[in-house]
Amino acid sequence: MTGSTWVLWWKDAQGTASLGLLQERLLRGLRASLKGRWSMDTKLFHSPHNFVERQNIKVSSPGLVAAARGTASDQSMYLVVRGQGPTRRQFYVMASNRVVVEAEPEMESVVLRLKNLWTPRQTARIEGYSYEGDDWVIRTGNMMVGTSYKGLIIEINYLPCSNPEQTRGLMRELLMMILPPDAQVDANNGVDYRRADLDPCRMTDRHTAYQYVHLFTQSSLL
């Protein structure tokens, strides 16, 4: 999906009640259409090794090679899984958040088999709903990290424009229409796309995955 995306965290959300409040304001206030359920997972892996390239990992696909090389200076790796079934897409963020790659479907099973290199540590699971307006999509979901409730995630996707600087004002207006005025929100500011060699003026799905990892790491959620 093209356009510009903004990922935020409603820190003091109250579970089902807050999810229902957003649904009411989206459906009645903004005349949105409910598109269905939405979920995504972000998994944190940890490696005891500082240099994965020294472990003689043999991979054949370009995506896996890039992933292995990207971990050379870091012991943490994040897997962001978006969508289900045929629309499922996987992104790996690694090397101190300097590398973002979209991986082939077999990548996760490869990583899970490399137990001496990558150990699963924590998983953030987001479950909720997706809504659609004339030129935007908003996804809302309660977030669990392990067995702990950690508030609510809001993902705003403004479709006509892929430049985040040009769309942030419009998305902020949408946000103000659906959130309570006293909601404690982490706006996920300070995302530096250049750090991961991503174009700051033209968003892609890799940018969205990077936003999630930035939020989780800066807020110490994962």
Side-chain angles (χ1 to χ4, degrees):
M1 183 174 289
T2 59
S4 181
T5 302
W6 186 16
V7 177
L8 310 99
W9 175 31
W10 182 0
K11 297 189 291 183
D12 61 340
Q14 301 299 312
T16 303
S18 296
L19 200 62
L21 172 66
L22 292 181
Q23 182 169 101
E24 180 179 4
R25 294 187 175 188
L26 282 161
L27 296 179
R28 296 185 179 182
L30 295 183
R31 305 290 184 181
S33 300
L34 176 61
K35 302 304 293 182
R37 295 196 63 86
W38 168 69
S39 65
M40 65 165 287
D41 295 288
T42 301
K43 301 178 182 180
L44 168 63
F45 294 85
H46 185 266
S47 172
H49 305 285
N50 290 325
F51 297 95
V52 171
E53 286 188 76
R54 292 182 180 179
Q55 306 306 315
N56 194 27
I57 301 174
K58 295 182 179 180
V59 290
S60 57
S61 66
L64 297 181
V65 172
R69 290 176 179 171
T71 57
S73 62
D74 189 36
Q75 293 177 291
S76 296
M77 178 170 66
Y78 297 86
L79 165 61
V80 181
V81 181
R82 297 176 59 81
Q84 303 292 329
T87 64
R88 178 185 173 95
R89 301 179 70 185
Q90 298 182 156
F91 301 86
Y92 284 82
V93 182
M94 59 200 77
S96 298
N97 295 358
R98 288 187 173 87
V99 175
V100 184
V101 295
E102 182 171 3
E104 296 87 346
E106 68 270 17
M107 177 64 164
E108 184 175 3
S109 62
V110 170
V111 171
L112 291 173
R113 288 199 298 269
L114 298 175
K115 296 180 180 179
N116 61 323
L117 296 179
W118 292 111
T119 303
R121 297 293 293 270
Q122 284 184 301
T123 298
R125 173 75 172 174
I126 303 169
E127 293 185 297
Y129 300 93
S130 177
Y131 307 87
E132 187 175 292
D134 292 335
D135 51 12
W136 50 263
V137 174
I138 293 180
R139 301 174 180 89
T140 64
N142 283 314
M143 175 169 55
M144 300 290 295
V145 177
T147 59
S148 300
Y149 177 69
K150 294 296 183 179
L152 192 148
I153 292 295
I154 301 173
E155 179 185 310
I156 304 175
N157 181 208
Y158 182 69
L159 301 173
C161 178
S162 61
N163 189 321
E165 293 301 321
Q166 296 178 5
T167 59
R168 183 57 61 93
L170 293 170
M171 290 191 285
R172 186 175 288 108
E173 290 181 9
L174 284 172
L175 184 67
M176 292 175 64
M177 292 179 184
I178 62 175
L179 273 181
D182 58 347
Q184 296 181 24
V185 176
D186 185 331
N188 199 15
N189 294 317
V191 181
D192 183 6
Y193 296 116
R194 292 184 179 89
R195 176 183 175 90
D197 198 27
L198 297 173
D199 185 349
C201 298
R202 185 177 182 276
M203 291 199 72
T204 66
D205 289 331
R206 288 200 299 156
H207 291 69
T208 302
Y210 188 74
Q211 278 194 65
Y212 275 100
V213 173
H214 180 271
L215 175 64
F216 293 151
T217 54
Q218 295 301 308
S219 302
S220 300
L221 289 166
L222 281 181

